Amino acid sequence: MTLTASAPPAPPKQAAPPRPGTARRAWRKFSPYAYIAPFFTLFAAFGLFPLIYTAFVSLYRVELQTPGDMQWRGLDNYTALLQDDYFWLALRNTFTIGVLSTVPQLVMALGLAHLLNYKLRGRTFLRTAMLLPYATSVAAATLVFAQLFGHDFGLVNYVFGLVGIGPIDWQTGTFASQVAVSTIVIWRWTGYNALIYLAGMQSIPAELYEAAEVDGASRWRQFFHVTLPGLRPTIVFTVVVSTIGATQLFGEPLLFEGSISGGISHQYQTLGLYMYEQGWGFFHLGRAAAVAWVMFLLIVVLVGVNALIARRRSRKEAVR
């Protein structure tokens, strides 16, 4: 008699999961766009539309008193800018003040971040204190520095007098006034950039410093061969942001002496002040819109040049 094993019972068939409805499938497909829609809506309303409308206004003659009366001018507003000596003076002042404020600012920020990267007592307090100038309003900081750079009773000239240097006219002299305005910018933004550099330094692997120390590299060699290469993307970012800020500089030169002309001889009038003077001083909104678009194109060119230089350097290092 032969015994045969019975076949195991077949597992029960599981019911297929119900397919989501049409509404649910549509929501899964379009929900990512719904989440980012508020940002793009606000950007279109407060960023893209003003940009396009400013370009539209720059092609017309529009006066502040009668904004509804628009006369077609084409590129005449841009032609008038190129023929205006004060426009070129404002462009040169913007470049000079930008260099005087950006280069020392970033160098000082890099040095402060390097010091704060070590284990110092009160590091938290120092990091917080470095943000205080950035938290101070532009008006308050500029008014205080205007008093410090006063000709007769300013603290800066008083200190210079103690070492035998005569009083400097910080509000009338061309280079002196530009240095004074640049000092305000340096004071406000150095701590902010230092904290950005500090965050970048802390993201560099500690193993790189340990390997450099084993190889006998000093602190300076570690800084130039480990810290700076690791901070290259952060440095490019701060350079781009500082360049944009220098091109749009407005509050500091406006409040330094309280004049939209940027001094008696326009010696520190920036493009931002020149645009304000055209629109709200001379009531030429069309020409002010043209200045705004020239500033926008200038920022695009400067950012593109910075990106091109950074890309070429990275390619050279990759080849090496």
Side-chain angles (χ1 to χ4, degrees):
M1 183 176 180
T2 305
L3 298 177
T4 58
S6 59
K13 294 184 178 180
Q14 296 181 355
R19 297 183 62 185
T22 305
R24 183 171 296 182
R25 290 198 305 268
W27 170 248
R28 288 181 179 179
K29 182 178 181 180
F30 294 104
S31 58
Y33 302 99
Y35 291 137
I36 64 176
F39 166 77
F40 286 100
T41 302
L42 294 176
F43 173 75
F46 299 101
L48 187 60
F49 173 74
L51 185 66
I52 297 176
Y53 186 72
T54 302
F56 172 76
V57 172
S58 68
L59 303 177
Y60 288 83
R61 178 177 179 177
V62 187
E63 300 299 323
L64 184 61
Q65 302 93 331
T66 57
D69 185 12
M70 304 177 66
Q71 301 177 6
W72 174 260
R73 293 198 63 185
L75 298 178
D76 289 349
N77 285 327
Y78 295 92
T79 305
L81 288 181
L82 299 179
Q83 295 175 353
D84 189 359
D85 293 335
Y86 288 119
F87 167 76
W88 294 106
L89 179 60
L91 181 62
R92 185 171 68 248
N93 292 339
T94 302
F95 176 78
T96 305
I97 295 176
V99 172
L100 290 175
S101 60
T102 300
V103 176
Q105 172 193 150
L106 297 183
V107 172
M108 292 171 59
L110 192 60
L112 290 174
H114 184 62
L115 292 177
L116 290 177
N117 197 30
Y118 293 112
K119 294 182 179 179
L120 302 175
R121 291 184 178 179
R123 285 186 303 171
T124 304
F125 171 76
L126 293 175
R127 294 173 184 177
T128 305
M130 292 181 65
L131 272 180
L132 292 179
Y134 172 70
T136 307
S137 66
V138 179
T142 306
L143 292 177
V144 170
F145 273 88
Q147 298 297 321
L148 293 177
F149 285 105
H151 180 269
D152 296 323
F153 304 102
L155 181 61
V156 177
N157 280 340
Y158 172 77
V159 174
F160 283 169
L162 296 178
V163 295
I165 301 177
I168 301 175
D169 197 346
W170 297 101
Q171 295 182 342
T172 304
T174 300
F175 183 73
S177 60
Q178 293 178 357
V179 169
V181 173
S182 301
T183 304
I184 306 173
V185 180
I186 293 172
W187 181 81
R188 290 194 68 239
W189 291 97
T190 298
Y192 174 83
N193 288 307
L195 291 183
I196 294 179
Y197 287 148
L198 179 60
M201 290 178 182
Q202 293 181 346
S203 65
I204 299 175
E207 293 80 5
L208 297 179
Y209 291 100
E210 294 174 358
E213 189 174 357
V214 169
D215 292 338
S218 62
R219 290 289 178 88
W220 276 108
R221 282 188 167 275
Q222 294 179 23
F223 177 75
F224 283 106
H225 296 283
V226 178
T227 304
L228 287 183
L231 280 180
R232 182 167 289 108
T234 308
I235 293 174
V236 172
F237 169 77
T238 55
V239 169
V240 171
V241 173
S242 300
T243 302
I244 295 175
T247 307
Q248 298 177 334
L249 193 62
F250 175 76
E252 290 84 351
L254 173 64
L255 298 173
F256 183 65
E257 195 181 4
S259 172
I260 62 175
S261 61
I264 299 177
S265 57
H266 298 253
Q267 68 269 15
Y268 58 89
Q269 185 184 49
T270 60
L271 284 176
L273 268 185
Y274 179 78
M275 178 186 65
Y276 186 84
E277 182 184 44
Q278 293 296 319
W280 284 263
F282 301 148
F283 311 125
H284 303 322
L285 293 183
R287 189 174 296 185
V291 178
W293 254 86
V294 169
M295 294 173 60
F296 172 74
L297 296 177
L298 180 62
I299 290 173
V300 171
V301 171
L302 292 176
V303 171
V305 170
N306 285 329
L308 183 62
I309 294 175
R311 184 176 301 178
R312 286 187 175 180
R313 287 183 177 178
S314 60
R315 286 180 179 177
K316 289 181 179 179
E317 291 184 357
V319 172
R320 292 178 184 176

